[in-house]
Amino acid sequence: MNHLHDRALGALYGLAMGDALGMPTQIMPRRSIVARFGTVTGFEPGPAENPVSAGMPAGAVTDDTDQAVLVGRLLVEGDGHIDPLRLAQELLEWERAMKAKGSFDLLGPSTKAALEAVSRGVPPEEAGRSGSTNGAAMRITPVGVAFPDKPLESFVDQVAAACRVTHDTTLGIASAAAVAAAVSRGVGGGGLEDAFAAAITAAAAGAERGHWVYGASIAARIEWAVELVRGLPEERALDRVNDLVGTSVASQESVPAAFAVLALADGEPWRACLLAANLGGDCDTIGAIAGAIAGSLSGASALPTEALTTLRSVNGLDLEPLATSLLELRAAAAG
Ligand SMILES: [Mg+2]
């Protein structure tokens, strides 16, 4: 396997790994995780007391992986272009299928509001005008695999297009641009500090797009969160992320939190995903973002073999063809 393919695959499986490790502890407070698990050290089934993940088997992924794969498939089918109406329809279809399975892991607040608007006949370019939570960032990874992060403005165009129908806002686009740029830099062969720099630059550019919504700067908060945890012992660092950065679905909390755990783990994928799982809050999404970036930096060959086997067998995941197709788009985009 060549390096590019290994890194593209690492991004996709890293995302799934962080998502599945965070599944059992999502929406739990950190103190409850400590009481229930001590420290999460691997895949766990959804515990009975978790209203979203109760009954899910160890290693099961959630909406983060499902929707990222969906975005990837639409990108490939559209030859690098996502049709916003089609994305809306497919997300609604996905939620119907999840409800039919009895799942409680459904659409997030921005996506749900936007898709309800589309269903009422609001045009797709208006539907996402207030979406500012982390749903676009959680599913943007395939865009980072499919496009080089330079030139910056055309890269941010691609990110903004994928955000349009649900998260057409300064915060939504900035947070998705940060994640996509870090992944793209990783796939392109960069290291952890390159990924941080690319994320901060792209977040600043993304904040110039979409409808303005109030909220702290994603770029500034990523830079701050990474510095906040440097040199701290792990437990203390996780407490700081929990108390200061925040782990909510707000983009300006969970996205900088993902960069903080990446810094804390020094970019090591399994470690970063476990740190996220122990945070609680929206930790499946924090883990999915951190895992995607870490996986793009290290490649799938650096992910634990047993974890990959679990992810494939529990979820029926086969991400190799998607990685190949996204890299074909990347080759075409690079000319
Ligand atoms: Mg999720």
Side-chain angles (χ1 to χ4, degrees), residues 19 22-23 26 52 61-65 94 105-106 138 282-285 288:
D19 183 14
M23 173 275 289
Q26 66 175 314
V52 172
V61 298
T62 78
D63 56 339
D64 305 69
T65 304
W94 172 86
D105 199 355
L106 303 172
M138 101 181 176
D282 200 9
C283 65
D284 55 322
T285 295

Side-chain angles (χ1 to χ4, degrees), residues 56 61-63 66 92-106:
M56 291 177 75
V61 298
T62 78
D63 56 339
D66 289 352
L92 283 169
E93 193 53 48
W94 172 86
E95 186 175 59
R96 272 193 285 275
M98 294 301 281
K99 278 183 178 160
K101 282 200 305 190
S103 172
F104 293 101
D105 199 355
L106 303 172

Side-chain angles (χ1 to χ4, degrees), residues 35-227:
R36 173 70 170 70
F37 296 96
T39 301
V40 176
T41 57
F43 295 119
E44 295 279 351
E49 65 266 32
N50 187 322
V52 172
S53 50
M56 291 177 75
V61 298
T62 78
D63 56 339
D64 305 69
T65 304
D66 289 352
Q67 293 183 20
V69 169
L70 196 160
V71 165
R73 180 166 56 76
L74 291 188
L75 256 183
V76 171
E77 287 174 12
D79 202 17
H81 301 281
I82 291 178
D83 173 11
L85 264 187
R86 178 96 195 280
L87 176 59
Q89 285 159 356
E90 297 255 356
L91 286 169
L92 283 169
E93 193 53 48
W94 172 86
E95 186 175 59
R96 272 193 285 275
M98 294 301 281
K99 278 183 178 160
K101 282 200 305 190
S103 172
F104 293 101
D105 199 355
L106 303 172
L107 296 171
S110 297
T111 300
K112 191 158 189 63
L115 299 187
E116 279 169 5
V118 171
S119 300
R120 287 196 310 272
V122 172
E125 56 277 14
E126 285 298 311
R129 62 179 303 136
S130 60
S132 63
T133 45
N134 61 17
M138 101 181 176
R139 55 180 176 253
I140 202 70
T141 284
V143 172
V145 177
F147 299 100
D149 71 303
K150 286 177 190 162
L152 179 64
E153 289 304 324
S154 51
F155 182 72
V156 178
D157 287 344
Q158 298 294 348
V159 172
C163 293
R164 190 147 300 132
V165 73
T166 56
H167 293 78
D168 191 13
T169 63
T170 46
L171 286 176
I173 299 169
S175 55
V179 175
V183 166
S184 184
R185 193 62 68 90
V187 170
L192 183 61
E193 297 303 323
D194 292 322
F196 288 153
I200 292 163
T201 304
E208 300 294 320
R209 310 292 186 94
H211 297 274
W212 182 81
V213 286
Y214 46 81
S217 156
I218 299 288
R221 281 180 60 82
I222 290 172
E223 196 169 10
W224 165 74
V226 164
E227 291 310 318

